[in-house]
Amino acid sequence: MQHETHPLEYPFVVAVDGPAGSGKSSVSKEVARRLGWAFLDTGAAYRALAWHATASHVDTDDAASVAAALDSFAYRIDTDPYGYRVHVGDVDVTEAIREPGISAVVSAVARVPEVRTHLIEVFRAIIAAEGREGIVVEGRDITTVVAPDAPVRILLTAAEEVRMARRAKELEGHSAEATGAQLRARDRADAKVVDFMNAAEGVTTVDSTDLDFDATVEAVIAVIRDAQVRTG
Ligand SMILES: Nc1ncnc2c1ncn2[C@@H]1O[C@H](COP(=O)(O)OP(=O)(O)OP(=O)(O)O)[C@@H](O)[C@H]1O
Ligand SMILES: Nc1ccn([C@@H]2O[C@H](COP(=O)(O)O)[C@@H](O)[C@H]2O)c(=O)n1
């Protein structure tokens, strides 16, 4: 773990969940930048484990083998919203974990209970060690499992066709159909493990279907400001 010293103050936690392509990562990062806070991408850990398992020739469909791969999984991530890096051991996997081959197997890795238990503890330790005033943490189960007591919990969503169009634009050169099919398949598989389509009690929904990027960032910051006023 990169974060070993614990500050006296626990950071203000903003938990953000939502389906694939809803803007969790880009919006959360920009919110953190504007507030001068930290940013934690939790999906990167599941992706890094999928990379590690694949590189170690582990069958990602075999839950016991994936769980065993945790023993040799030396994961590190930092929380800089201007350019965080992801390492497994000495290898910088920041770009490699975004490859379609990793996206195709990450849900199989994420469904393994031992994996979730382990990574949830990793995320909580990173949050607790954060030295900045606040941290925006995004994923699928942050509002419900990782940080259910966070002062701000948001479900960031958008209509499926809008999410698919945004992702297809981002991945120019890849077929829009294949990109959309993978996004839908990943949501279907992930939704069997955690519910990130419906806001849990106390979670605020921000629907960006009809909002541009900047308006979405502003909407999230408005929820945070409101909570700061309420919690003093
Ligand atoms: N409100 C918005 N208007 C237009 N584009 C947006 C908006 N929100 C996000 N985007 C764009 O949509 C794309 C997908 O966003 P992003 O990668 O942040 O989603 P995500 O929820 O983190 O996805 P995944 O779970 O698959 O990693 C990015 O290109 C991002 O810039
Ligand atoms: N809190 C989380 C975050 C992610 N996952 C799994 O990781 C995959 C990749 O996540 P991205 O946000 O980088 O797309 C995702 O498809 C889930 O399988 C998770 O389970 N919980």
Side-chain angles (χ1 to χ4, degrees):
M1 293 280 314
Q2 191 159 294
H3 304 261
E4 281 164 0
T5 53
H6 287 245
L8 294 175
E9 299 270 335
Y10 196 77
F12 188 99
V13 179
V14 177
V16 180
D17 287 329
S22 62
K24 299 180 300 295
S25 166
S26 52
V27 170
S28 299
K29 209 182 297 173
E30 181 60 20
V31 167
R33 287 177 181 171
R34 291 192 194 178
L35 298 177
W37 288 2
F39 163 70
L40 179 61
D41 169 356
T42 62
Y46 292 94
R47 287 175 178 274
L49 180 58
W51 178 89
H52 175 62
T54 307
S56 313
H57 307 290
V58 166
D59 176 2
T60 49
D61 285 328
D62 180 21
S65 301
V66 171
L70 283 170
D71 291 342
S72 53
F73 182 51
Y75 180 67
R76 272 187 299 131
I77 188 169
D78 66 83
T79 57
D80 179 357
Y82 286 95
Y84 65 96
R85 307 299 299 177
V86 182
H87 286 84
V88 176
D90 291 335
V91 186
D92 186 330
V93 297
T94 312
E95 279 81 34
I97 61 173
R98 303 292 155 196
E99 291 295 323
I102 297 299
S103 300
V105 298
V106 67
S107 299
V109 167
R111 77 183 163 85
V112 177
E114 292 90 339
V115 167
R116 302 204 73 82
T117 303
H118 178 80
L119 291 184
I120 287 163
E121 289 312 314
V122 167
F123 302 146
R124 288 180 179 158
I126 293 172
I127 294 168
E130 180 55 53
R132 276 164 279 209
E133 180 192 349
I135 182 165
V136 187
V137 186
E138 61 91 5
R140 302 291 189 292
D141 60 348
I142 313 304
T143 62
T144 52
V145 180
V146 175
D149 298 327
V152 173
R153 294 183 299 146
I154 292 173
L155 183 76
L156 182 58
T157 189
E160 189 179 84
E161 62 275 17
V162 170
R163 292 189 281 114
M164 281 169 55
R166 287 174 184 165
R167 188 36 57 80
K169 191 170 157 199
E170 188 186 41
L171 294 175
E172 262 175 54
H174 292 75
S175 125
E177 287 73 28
T179 302
Q182 191 181 66
L183 184 140
R184 263 201 308 268
R186 198 147 59 88
D187 273 353
R188 249 197 321 272
D190 291 339
K192 289 181 188 157
V193 181
V194 273
D195 183 2
F196 48 81
M197 299 303 284
N198 304 292
E201 200 182 334
V203 173
T204 305
T205 298
V206 174
D207 186 339
S208 77
T209 304
D210 299 315
L211 302 178
D212 66 14
F213 182 77
D214 199 57
T216 310
V217 170
E218 287 301 327
V220 170
I221 290 178
V223 177
I224 296 170
R225 294 294 185 218
D226 188 49
Q228 285 178 317
V229 169
R230 275 188 288 107
T231 59

